[in-house]
Amino acid sequence: EIQYTCGSIGHPVLCECVLDYDYPEPLPEATNETTSSTSQQQKTFLETCVDICIEETEATGPKDNCQRWKEKAEAMHKKKERQTQLMELATE
């Protein structure tokens, strides 16, 4: 189903699958701590989606979904933070 609903060629791209159709975010690639820079924070998947939307808007004109995606991404981020806090409290 995900290949049909969230494929390419006339179907939504990966960001739309997550932000419009509530599919889970893809898992980040594992990084080797010795090769990754600690001073450079990596963007989250949702931040990247919002940035791509904004960049595309600048090139092709306004899109209604950018603001909606930004709001949903912020809400999803807050939800993850709350879940993390609850997990930390549960392990104390």
Side-chain angles (χ1 to χ4, degrees):
E1 185 218 351
I2 193 168
Q3 289 177 329
Y4 177 79
T5 304
C6 295
S8 57
I9 307 177
H11 295 290
V13 295
L14 191 56
C15 293
E16 290 170 322
C17 292
V18 172
L19 292 164
D20 291 339
Y21 297 103
D22 298 323
Y23 280 91
E25 289 180 57
L27 298 174
E29 289 184 8
T31 58
N32 183 344
E33 288 183 33
T34 59
T35 60
S36 66
S37 171
T38 54
S39 62
Q40 195 177 31
Q41 188 173 357
Q42 195 171 1
K43 286 186 180 181
T44 66
F45 171 79
L46 296 173
E47 290 170 332
T48 303
C49 286
V50 171
D51 288 349
I52 289 170
C53 189
I54 291 168
E55 288 172 12
E56 187 177 312
T57 296
E58 291 171 356
T60 62
K63 284 190 168 187
D64 294 336
N65 63 343
C66 291
Q67 184 61 34
R68 181 172 42 81
W69 281 9
K70 184 176 180 181
E71 291 168 1
K72 187 166 184 178
E74 289 170 354
M76 291 171 75
H77 179 72
K78 286 179 184 176
K79 182 179 178 182
K80 281 184 185 179
E81 284 182 341
R82 283 193 303 269
Q83 289 173 336
T84 301
Q85 290 171 346
L86 289 173
M87 292 295 289
E88 289 172 355
L89 288 173
T91 58
E92 288 182 356

